Amino acid sequence: MGNVLVGTSSWTDKTLIDCGRFYPASVSTPEERLRFYASQFPIVEIDASYYGIPSIENAQRWVERTPPGFVFNIKAYRLFTRHQTPIASMGREIGQALQTTKKTVYEKDVPAEVAMELWRQFRAVLEVLRASGKLGAVHMQFAPWVALHPETFDYLLHCRAMLAGFTVAIEFRNKTWFDSDRHATRTLRFERENGFVNVVVDEPQGIVNTIPAVWEVTNPALAIVRLHGRNHGTWNRKGLQSSAQRFDYDYSEDELGTLAQDIQHFAPKAETTHVLFNNNYQDQGQRNARALSRILDAP
């Protein structure tokens, strides 16, 4: 079937820690949590890197606290995926260099030399993970307003150049990429030509900022399936205290069984397949990941 690694998109979520069901009571520090997580799963997605570029020291700690062969996928910093970005998340020096009274900016608002410095900082973190042999993919989850457009293709090529030598996975959240056979064909061809990994998403359907699951492998080395849950009611709800509440969804045994069949048909097309649960409310992702692993391992 190919090599399938199953894990979750977070190991430090507040609701996960507070629920007390995944980490033993004796596991109470960041170091102990990552060591315990890595004893249970072979892969995790680093989510904190979306909110701010991690320090080299933190990346080194992640490497030291996980066993050989463990895999980190890392989410790209939010500025790079065209989300609204707090200037405070860029560090004091860059914040001062921008000389603006704005609290937040978009990628188009940032001078090229500032953006290049942020890319340089991000690549330095990637190099630490790569040197350890533990780097999987750089995960670029684009903002919902990033639509299929000639300028976007140009920007994606720019991202490809900024991340030359790294495996880059793309998750779109705008319908235009896959809303017709013609668009889907164009999107997938572009991903294949540039070595991007097409991220297969499982998420609520019939919502303006979701896309269908497109079970296509565009990079023969890697396929990624990302499971967000199917909670229509919370997807775009205003006033949630955290993103975990948005992804509050427990996959049933039947749903996991169907997903397992899809993965079993899909996985042979790539050398390795990463399956990551992003339903990160309390321990739902961890429980679902264990259950899916069990189903996939069953004879």
Side-chain angles (χ1 to χ4, degrees):
M1 185 174 68
N3 186 26
V4 180
L5 305 181
V6 182
T8 67
S9 297
S10 171
W11 77 92
T12 58
D13 199 88
K14 187 176 186 305
T15 63
L16 170 64
I17 294 165
D18 289 350
C19 81
R21 285 192 296 272
F22 177 64
Y23 292 112
S26 60
V27 172
S28 59
T29 67
E31 176 172 357
E32 289 167 344
R33 286 188 200 110
L34 181 52
R35 287 190 187 280
F36 178 79
Y37 176 95
S39 74
Q40 306 295 303
F41 297 105
I43 185 171
V44 79
E45 184 182 287
I46 298 166
D47 189 47
S49 48
Y50 168 78
Y51 298 98
I53 296 171
S55 66
I56 297 289
E57 293 73 29
N58 254 358
Q60 287 167 336
R61 287 186 198 107
W62 294 330
V63 166
E64 288 159 9
R65 293 169 181 179
T66 50
F70 189 81
V71 175
F72 289 102
N73 284 359
I74 182 165
K75 207 168 177 186
Y77 180 48
R78 61 194 297 162
L79 187 82
F80 306 149
T81 49
R82 297 193 154 173
H83 289 83
Q84 191 175 24
T85 304
I87 287 172
S89 71
M90 299 179 183
R92 196 180 335 162
E93 276 183 38
I94 287 182
Q96 288 170 345
L98 282 173
Q99 295 181 329
T100 177
T101 55
K102 290 181 180 176
K103 291 260 196 307
T104 62
V105 289
Y106 290 92
E107 174 263 334
K108 63 180 171 52
D109 305 321
V110 174
E113 64 273 14
V114 171
M116 289 299 280
E117 172 57 19
L118 290 165
W119 278 113
R120 188 199 63 74
Q121 290 177 14
F122 187 59
R123 279 199 305 268
V125 172
L126 300 183
E127 291 291 0
V128 172
L129 297 174
R130 176 158 68 182
S132 71
K134 294 181 179 181
L135 179 62
V138 180
H139 184 89
M140 301 197 79
Q141 185 186 42
F142 283 91
W145 43 87
V146 176
L148 186 150
H149 186 276
E151 190 279 331
T152 312
F153 284 111
D154 290 343
Y155 181 68
L156 290 169
L157 291 175
H158 170 69
C159 294
R160 175 71 278 173
M162 291 296 97
L163 295 167
F166 297 104
T167 301
V168 181
I170 293 188
E171 179 178 345
F172 293 115
R173 288 189 292 165
N174 186 290
K175 278 190 163 47
T176 53
W177 296 95
F178 297 108
D179 64 356
S180 68
D181 287 345
R182 191 165 66 89
H183 283 176
T185 299
R186 186 178 176 194
T187 300
L188 293 166
R189 185 174 66 236
F190 177 82
E191 290 181 322
R192 285 192 178 100
E193 286 170 354
N194 294 287
F196 289 120
V197 176
N198 169 59
V199 177
V200 182
V201 290
D202 186 80
E203 58 193 10
Q205 293 301 292
I207 296 175
V208 65
N209 55 343
T210 63
I211 62 166
V214 180
W215 293 88
E216 291 281 348
V217 172
T218 54
N219 181 325
L222 182 64
I224 295 179
V225 181
R226 209 156 173 264
L227 303 146
H228 295 288
R230 300 171 181 177
N231 192 333
H232 281 78
T234 55
W235 194 259
N236 287 325
R237 187 181 292 169
K238 298 279 185 277
L240 297 178
Q241 290 176 321
S242 76
S243 65
Q245 291 177 300
R246 184 180 172 204
F247 304 114
D248 177 4
Y249 190 81
D250 216 344
Y251 284 93
S252 70
E253 201 72 16
D254 283 352
E255 287 171 330
L256 292 171
T258 303
L259 284 164
Q261 289 177 343
D262 290 336
I263 291 162
Q264 283 163 337
H265 289 140
F266 176 67
K269 298 171 187 171
E271 284 173 38
T272 302
T273 300
H274 295 171
V275 181
L276 292 153
F277 282 86
N278 191 46
N279 52 334
N280 56 350
Y281 182 67
Q282 297 188 354
D283 64 333
Q284 289 169 340
Q286 283 71 21
R287 275 191 291 107
N288 290 167
R290 279 174 170 160
L292 180 70
S293 298
R294 210 164 42 241
I295 296 167
L296 289 170
D297 288 344

